[in-house]
Amino acid sequence: DAKTTQPNSMESNEEEPVHLPCNHSTISGTDYIHWYRQLPSQGPEYVIHGLTSNVNNRMASLAIAEDRKSSTLILHRATLRDAAVYYCILRDVNSGGGADGLTFGKGTHLIIQP
Amino acid sequence: NAGVTQTPKFQVLKTGQSMTLQCAQDMNHNSMYWYRQDPGMGLRLIYYSASEGTTDKGEVPNGYNVSRLNKREFSLRLESAAPSQTSVYFCASSGRGWNQPQHFGDGTRLSIL
């Protein structure tokens, strides 16, 4: 899987939007962008994924740059419960039929101030 | 909604002891995974099973064995535990297809003295 680069940590205030960046300059045409997050003392949980178009779901939005070399996970109104480590992961659709594992980096530690 | 259940939640072993970590999922998923997470690091894949009856090595398989007992259960065995295997172990499962999200258990915290 292609490599991603994320800031080590970010801080935001409760009830404000949060934009978490991810750079993936070596992304290939068959790589999808997935985001997971890991709350303290829990396993990771899926947040969202996309290919080219921006995506929205109940948890977050994913904005993908036109050249696909970067993306941004957007939490529209952060709560204290959103404090977690956020991982940006690329998945190649041609890799293992989707059954192979995820490649996690160190992610971004998001701190939410009350 | 049990999802992915891991047992035990905590375990302390002495060097050289053996143990099996258990994982079960109730989502009828085909694929199951074992990861380890060391302090301050992301997860690393140990082994995975694309379907019942198959297993494959991941990034860090040395010192571990796995068994896909049936579609629901996927166990991880440490035959002779070493201090370097002190870690938090996560099991995950997913449906068929690359775009299916992985669902994780809450982890087993394993310390080897």
Side-chain angles (χ1 to χ4, degrees):
Chain A
D1 291 327
K3 184 174 179 175
T4 62
T5 304
Q6 300 177 252
N8 288 334
S9 65
M10 290 184 63
E11 199 167 312
S12 183
N13 295 320
E14 195 176 11
E15 300 186 3
E16 291 185 355
V18 179
H19 292 235
L20 294 161
C22 181
N23 287 321
H24 28 78
S25 58
T26 59
I27 191 170
S28 73
T30 54
D31 282 325
Y32 272 69
I33 303 157
H34 290 241
W35 283 82
Y36 282 74
R37 73 179 185 180
Q38 186 174 20
L39 302 172
S41 299
Q42 294 188 24
E45 65 174 339
Y46 167 80
V47 178
I48 200 167
H49 76 274
L51 180 64
T52 56
S53 303
N54 294 344
V55 184
N56 301 295
N57 66 21
R58 64 175 181 80
M59 290 182 70
S61 296
L62 176 60
I64 301 171
E66 194 169 338
D67 64 4
R68 303 214 317 128
K69 293 183 184 296
S70 66
S71 60
T72 302
L73 180 71
I74 303 166
L75 306 179
H76 293 285
R77 191 167 171 272
T79 68
L80 295 176
R81 195 192 174 279
D82 292 319
V85 178
Y86 287 77
Y87 298 99
C88 171
I89 297 168
L90 301 183
R91 296 205 76 189
D92 186 345
V93 299
N94 294 324
S95 176
D100 56 345
L102 300 171
T103 300
F104 287 82
K106 292 185 179 182
T108 296
H109 183 200
L110 177 63
I111 300 165
I112 305 295
Q113 297 290 354
Chain B
N1 291 339
V4 177
T5 302
Q6 293 185 234
T7 55
K9 295 190 185 307
F10 302 93
Q11 185 71 48
V12 179
L13 293 178
K14 294 181 179 179
T15 298
Q17 287 185 316
S18 62
M19 86 161 290
T20 300
L21 280 61
Q22 306 288 351
C23 175
Q25 52 92 8
D26 62 1
M27 296 171 281
N28 200 36
H29 285 163
N30 289 301
S31 303
M32 297 187 73
Y33 311 83
W34 276 106
Y35 294 85
R36 62 176 286 176
Q37 185 174 33
D38 299 322
M41 305 293 289
L43 282 70
R44 291 184 293 170
L45 183 66
I46 304 171
Y47 271 93
Y48 66 99
S49 170
S51 60
E52 188 178 351
T54 69
T55 61
D56 285 286
K57 294 179 180 180
E59 181 186 354
V60 288
N62 291 344
Y64 305 96
N65 288 303
V66 291
S67 295
R68 183 74 182 268
L69 304 171
N70 48 55
K71 192 171 186 178
R72 290 186 63 249
E73 298 172 290
F74 188 37
S75 63
L76 178 73
R77 182 162 179 83
L78 287 70
E79 290 290 353
S80 179
S84 61
Q85 294 177 305
T86 294
S87 191
V88 182
Y89 291 84
F90 290 100
C91 177
S93 70
S94 70
R96 190 181 302 277
W98 60 268
N99 63 341
Q100 295 299 308
Q102 292 189 12
H103 299 260
F104 288 80
D106 285 336
T108 294
R109 284 148 185 81
L110 182 61
S111 293
I112 299 163
L113 307 177

